[in-house]
Structure formats: C-alpha cells, structure tokens
Amino acid sequence: MSKAWERELVLFARLFQEELGRLPCALVTHKKVHKSTPATFYNPFPAFPFTGSTRPVYPLSPRRPVPESITLPDYAKDGNPKYGRRLGRHNITILNEKQQEAMRKVCRLAREVIDIAAREIKPGVTTDYLDEVVHNACLERDSYPSTLNYVHFPKSVCTSLNEIICHGIPDQRVLVDGDILNLDVTLYHGGFHGDLNETYYVGPKALADEDSVRVVETSRECLDRAIKIVKPGMLFRDPGGVIEKHAKSKNCSVIKTYCGHGINQLFHCAPNVPHYAKNKAVGVAKPGMCFTIEPMISLGSYKDQTWPDDWTSATQDGSRTAQFEHTLLVTEGGVEVLTARQADSPGGPVSAPVNPKADSPNGV
C-alpha cells in the first residue's frame, strides 16, 4: 500500500472514530498501531455523555510483564498502597543526604524515559504504543513504572489527550495531526519515586492552533512561575495564587480537583500543593522536602467529569486542557528541579500567538 493511501486511511479511521466511537482495525495499517491479527475496536461506554470528542478505544492491551529482577513498590501485586500513618497532612518527610541522592537518581531516570517516549509522538501511533515505549524504557533502567497497578491503574503511563485533564488510560486511540497530548511518567527506583509530566503538540496543526498553543504555554508558564517562589519558608498554599493569577491573565482556568503532592518513598503523600488561589493547604517548605507542582490549565471551565473507567478526567465543557509537572527538592538556598529538562529534551516552549482576549477576565 502506498504512503498516500496509508494517510488517507488513517484520516478516515479518525473521522469514523469520532462519529461512532469505534475504530475498525482493518483501516489502520501503521506498524506501530497493530502487530497482531486485526480485531474490532470499540467504545466500551457508548451511552456515556462524553464532554468532548475524545473516546476510549478498546480493547486494552494485556498488562505488560515486569521481570522478577525489578524491585516492586508495595502495591505492585494487589494494587493497594500501604500508607498507614505516613499519609497525615502534617506528616511531611524531610529527606537526609542519602535519600536526596536517591531522589535525584530516580528523577533523572524519569526524565530520560519521558524524553524517549516524547520522541515517538507523531500522527499515526497509538497511546498504547507509547505505553509500551515507557514500560520498556523503565525496565531498561532497572525501574518499575509507578502507575502500573497503582490503585489498579492498568498501564505504565498516563496519556491525556485534548480535553482530558489527567489519568488518561493508554489504549488503541490513534494520534492525529492537531492533538495535544500529556505524558505523565513516574518511575520507582532504589526505593523512591520520581514524577513528571509534559504536554506535547502532535503535528503542525497543533502548533498552528492558537487556542492549543495558548493553553499549553500558559500551563508551562504557570509551573515555571510557581517554581520561582519555592524556598524554605514558603507556605504550601502560596503557589496556587501565583498560578491562578497567570492563568486568568491568559483567559484560562485552573482545574481545582487535583493538586501537587509530596513524593519520596511514597508515590503520593503530604504536603498537598493546590494550584488555585485562596486555598487552605497547610505546611511550610523546609530543606529536604520533596514535592510536585503540576498545574492543570483549561481553556474553559475549571470543572471536571470522570469517565466510567474511574480514572480518565475530562473538562466538563469539553474544552482543551494542558498540564506540566516537576518533582522539586527544597534546598537551603531555594529549590532544585529534580526532573529538569535537558538540552536535547523534545518539546519545549513555543511562541504564544497574539490573542486579543488574553487580557480579558476569565468569567468561568
């Protein structure tokens, strides 16, 4: 089959998927989409009132195996994290020098993995293929993909497209020119977790879309501005004010349901770091504390709706959304971004389009 016909068939498959919530496998021939006998793809929730155009495309691929040589987090087998008393909101861990070095290492590995996966993002591949890439890259680094079976999440990475805020489950959905895609990667290595995410443009149409660029770059800028205030003595309620002020200046909203979190030997723990103003988060940053900041920014409403898979969170009005996340270590002199981008990391800032609405009140 010619390349031109392949492109036509992928486009037709995408249109069919949007209209009917189904994607006939025989229409897509890209080698990274299917490696086995074609089967019928389907929307498992046909009666659900989706808020946007994104649909789940099942069946999910089988759970990917992890070799016995990989050290497992406590939830890997039964899906239930063993937090015990360590989860109290006032119980914020301060890491010693050895533990801080362990966090540096796992976060460096997490950056390597997300960069490897990001280089594979292009029209024609599936989010399930990206999950395979992440999973294999984790194992190659003697690491466990932290999301796998965490509270029974079925995959090794979260892939959130367009109006999906977070926790998107990788499936047979084919990426198309014009999508924006968030990859959320977490590794478990040496007894510690390292967590980061970024939103990427899929193809030139996404880069040419003013609203997509506005929401992606606003989210990126919100994170950068919040990181600048992190230092000993910062109140954990303070980043939210910085984030919401900038988001509103770009005519965007801040998703309020999800927040940044402590991270160390535990995937999620104290402190909570909300991303909106006038929140009531408790605690003060001290040297040796590790946590994430991960603002989720929407072009429309801040409200969300969860799909029947109990994971995928979408904007209530179907508007596009973007997110960026870093794992941070508070130091004596300020902050260290443990998951910082490298010189050759794919993606990165692009010039935001001039938008006459940017200075208008949010009104959502």
Side-chain angles (χ1 to χ4, degrees):
M1 179 181 295
S2 71
K3 293 293 183 182
W5 270 106
E6 274 196 334
R7 289 194 295 269
E8 290 297 318
L9 289 177
V10 169
L11 176 60
F12 180 78
R14 170 61 176 153
L15 294 173
F16 190 83
Q17 173 188 344
E18 289 182 345
E19 291 298 318
L20 302 179
R22 296 173 61 88
L23 180 59
C25 179
L27 293 177
V28 182
T29 60
H30 194 290
K31 66 181 180 180
K32 293 178 180 176
V33 177
H34 304 298
K35 297 181 179 179
S36 58
T37 303
T40 300
F41 287 5
Y42 63 96
N43 173 3
F45 315 117
F48 181 72
F50 293 95
T51 61
S53 62
T54 304
R55 298 290 184 273
V57 184
Y58 279 40
L60 299 182
S61 60
R63 178 171 167 176
R64 304 190 194 282
V66 176
E68 292 183 0
S69 60
I70 301 293
T71 301
L72 305 179
D74 59 19
Y75 55 81
K77 293 185 177 180
D78 65 8
N80 300 313
K82 316 302 188 295
Y83 286 127
R85 295 181 180 179
R86 296 180 290 173
L87 202 58
R89 66 176 184 167
H90 297 286
N91 189 12
I92 304 175
T93 300
I94 295 179
L95 303 177
N96 60 34
E97 288 295 330
K98 183 177 180 180
Q99 293 168 329
Q100 290 176 33
E101 281 303 314
M103 283 297 298
R104 289 187 179 98
K105 182 175 182 180
V106 69
C107 288
R108 183 171 64 251
L109 296 175
R111 166 53 66 183
E112 291 177 6
V113 170
I114 198 171
D115 285 354
I116 288 169
R119 292 186 182 100
E120 298 296 320
I121 295 175
K122 56 188 172 184
V125 305
T126 65
T127 53
D128 183 71
Y129 169 70
L130 297 175
D131 179 75
E132 180 183 5
V133 171
V134 168
H135 185 87
N136 291 340
C138 289
L139 301 188
E140 289 167 1
R141 287 157 180 76
D142 195 29
S143 302
Y144 183 88
S146 299
T147 60
L148 185 60
N149 209 33
Y150 179 77
V151 196
H152 309 288
F153 188 82
K155 294 296 178 180
S156 298
V157 64
C158 297
T159 53
S160 301
L161 280 156
N162 302 331
E163 78 273 17
I164 305 305
I165 300 165
C166 59
H167 304 156
I169 298 174
D171 59 15
Q172 310 307 326
R173 168 45 157 88
V174 178
L175 300 184
V176 298
D177 190 2
D179 285 333
I180 57 174
L181 172 69
N182 180 271
L183 293 181
D184 194 340
V185 169
T186 313
L187 268 65
Y188 180 74
H189 179 93
F192 290 81
H193 297 271
D195 190 6
L196 78 162
N197 75 59
E198 292 196 21
T199 301
Y200 301 91
Y201 300 99
V202 182
K205 288 184 179 179
L207 286 165
D209 181 70
E210 290 188 0
D211 284 340
S212 292
V213 172
R214 176 160 59 94
V215 73
V216 171
E217 298 308 316
T218 297
S219 180
R220 192 194 312 270
E221 293 161 4
C222 282
L223 176 57
D224 290 344
R225 290 178 180 229
I227 290 173
K228 288 180 180 179
I229 72 167
V230 178
K231 61 182 179 180
M234 181 201 74
L235 302 178
F236 288 118
R237 65 172 179 259
D238 288 347
V242 172
I243 291 167
E244 185 165 338
K245 180 180 180 181
H246 186 63
K248 284 186 174 181
S249 78
K250 301 294 185 177
N251 199 32
C252 292
S253 300
V254 178
I255 304 299
K256 298 182 178 182
T257 305
Y258 306 97
C259 62
H261 55 86
I263 185 167
N264 39 65
Q265 296 96 327
L266 302 178
F267 192 171
H268 297 92
C269 56
N272 287 335
V273 187
H275 303 123
Y276 55 92
K278 299 180 181 179
N279 65 78
K280 298 183 179 182
V282 299
V284 178
K286 298 178 181 180
M289 290 181 175
C290 263
F291 57 89
T292 71
I293 300 178
E294 46 188 291
M296 290 153 252
I297 305 300
S298 166
L299 286 171
S301 175
Y302 67 86
K303 297 181 180 180
D304 62 287
Q305 180 184 67
T306 302
W307 285 6
D309 59 22
D310 293 328
W311 280 108
T312 307
S313 178
T315 53
Q316 199 172 89
D317 61 358
S319 59
R320 286 200 165 191
T321 178
Q323 181 187 16
F324 288 83
E325 174 186 24
H326 278 306
T327 293
L328 309 173
L329 170 65
V330 182
T331 65
E332 293 289 346
V335 61
E336 183 177 345
V337 182
L338 300 183
T339 49
R341 291 174 54 82
Q342 301 301 301
D344 62 346
S345 292
V350 303
S351 298
V354 176
N355 190 328
K357 299 179 182 179
D359 296 323
S360 63
N362 191 339
V364 178

